[in-house]
Amino acid sequence: MPNRQTAPLPDFDLEGHRGARGLMPENTVPAMLLALELGVTTLEMDAHISQDGQVLLSHDPYINPAHELLPEGAELKKSDAGKYVLYQMPYSQIRTFDVGSKFYKKFPEQQRMKASKPLLSEVIDTVQAYIREHAVPQVFYNIETKSTPEGDGKYHPAPEAFVDKLMAVIDTKQIRPYVIIQSFDVRTLQVLHQKYPDVKTSLLVENLKGLKRNLTELGFTPTIYSPYYKVVTPALVEAAHAQGIKVIPWTVNRLKEMRRLKSLGVDGLISDYPNLYPSL
């Protein structure tokens, strides 16, 4: 039986975006391990589903030519963008692509190494082993369902099937109390609220509709409201807190902005550079 006891979120949640994207290849095991070493309280990551129903980590729904390579190490042509769709490949094929050796100009500090898109189960096993070995506090897993209405059946399964596959891994690994499921797609959060009401949810937001309208569209009160950091205002934080909702903005990569947001009363931060957190 899955463990359904709730675990309280940290007083101030320091999240490593895609592990530690500014320092390691994103959504890889090395990125998660570095984030742990840097003392994050939550590992943020993105989930997709392969053709054979495996839950894996990836932000993009396909192999991205900007920072990923073909199995033999060759560059993908720009014309190949969108060609290698994860949902249309078995995981055994996906794993052969190199997602860490190519220089990524957006993140010049990122360490280059041969790496693959890991299974979520592999990440959980590695993280939990690290926690036991190093006797560090249990971290949370903030997992984004990468889905859109337009992508159903092309880039991912429909919301209920997506959520069920994700939760099956989470419950097999018995980490449900330490999981947050986040999404821009309200449909997956609505499925979670209906079928797995004890699971923490986070509504990702990049629009200017405002808290009231976004929550109306969601249809329930999430654990966390996670807006793009530039839209955070004192009034937003106050309004969310009045409803018992935590505010954790994304993706904050400058120390000055981190300090400004913390002074506004946000409940945590998501950053590509968790190495900056000790300076807060």
Side-chain angles (χ1 to χ4, degrees):
M1 292 291 292
N3 183 353
R4 297 186 181 181
Q5 293 179 343
T6 58
L9 290 169
D11 291 337
F12 194 80
D13 194 13
L14 300 172
E15 301 198 17
H17 187 234
R18 305 185 201 176
R21 178 169 63 153
L23 308 169
M24 285 284 185
E26 64 180 55
N27 281 312
T28 61
V29 169
M32 300 300 158
L33 288 175
L34 178 59
L36 285 173
E37 292 172 14
L38 292 170
V40 301
T41 52
T42 295
L43 295 168
E44 193 273 352
M45 59 195 72
D46 304 294
H48 272 284
I49 310 294
S50 66
Q51 184 185 57
D52 52 344
Q54 300 295 302
V55 183
L56 65 132
L57 264 57
S58 179
H59 177 267
D60 302 299
Y62 43 74
I63 303 299
N64 189 333
H67 54 90
E68 298 174 350
L69 299 170
L70 291 167
E72 65 274 15
E75 298 264 347
L76 283 89
K77 299 175 183 177
K78 287 188 178 180
S79 59
D80 285 340
K83 176 180 178 181
Y84 297 97
V85 176
L86 306 179
Y87 190 51
Q88 297 173 20
M89 293 190 289
Y91 179 69
S92 59
Q93 181 183 0
I94 294 169
R95 195 173 183 88
T96 63
F97 289 83
D98 182 355
V99 302
S101 295
K102 183 175 179 178
F103 176 73
Y104 191 14
K105 61 183 180 181
K106 281 182 66 176
F107 297 97
E109 296 175 57
Q110 199 178 83
Q111 187 174 333
R112 294 164 66 186
M113 61 181 67
K114 193 162 187 180
S116 59
K117 294 183 185 290
L119 291 174
L120 175 60
S121 59
E122 175 188 358
V123 170
I124 295 168
D125 285 345
T126 304
V127 169
Q128 294 304 122
Y130 180 96
I131 290 170
R132 290 191 298 271
E133 181 180 349
H134 296 272
V136 296
Q138 176 66 51
V139 294
F140 285 81
Y141 296 82
N142 187 8
I143 307 168
E144 181 179 347
T145 55
K146 300 300 295 184
S147 62
T148 64
E150 301 76 26
D152 286 355
K154 178 182 179 182
Y155 290 134
H156 48 76
E160 187 168 2
F162 196 143
V163 169
D164 286 346
K165 288 184 181 298
L166 178 57
M167 288 304 304
V169 176
I170 288 165
D171 283 344
T172 296
K173 298 302 178 182
Q174 298 184 332
I175 60 164
R176 192 192 281 211
Y178 302 101
V179 164
I180 306 154
I181 305 298
Q182 63 176 355
S183 193
F184 290 101
D185 187 353
V186 298
R187 303 175 307 154
T188 57
L189 298 182
Q190 289 164 348
V191 170
L192 275 153
H193 183 63
Q194 293 160 9
K195 295 187 70 173
Y196 309 92
D198 55 300
V199 176
K200 298 175 182 66
T201 52
S202 177
L203 177 62
L204 287 164
V205 173
E206 58 183 342
N207 61 58
L208 296 174
K209 296 177 183 178
L211 177 68
K212 183 177 180 180
R213 184 172 170 188
N214 282 318
L215 292 182
T216 298
E217 290 179 3
L218 179 62
F220 68 94
T221 302
T223 314
I224 299 165
Y225 190 76
S226 191
Y228 178 47
Y229 79 95
K230 288 188 177 181
V231 306
V232 176
T233 64
L236 169 61
V237 176
E238 182 179 357
H241 285 174
Q243 297 183 62
I245 304 169
K246 290 183 177 289
V247 179
I248 302 180
W250 57 271
T251 299
V252 194
N253 288 338
R254 295 182 183 276
L255 190 57
K256 182 179 179 181
E257 280 298 317
M258 291 180 179
R259 289 171 173 163
R260 182 186 70 83
L261 289 161
K262 192 174 183 182
S263 74
L264 294 183
V266 300
D267 301 283
L269 299 167
I270 301 173
S271 179
D272 292 316
Y273 296 95
N275 57 313
L276 296 177
Y277 288 150
S279 300
L280 274 176

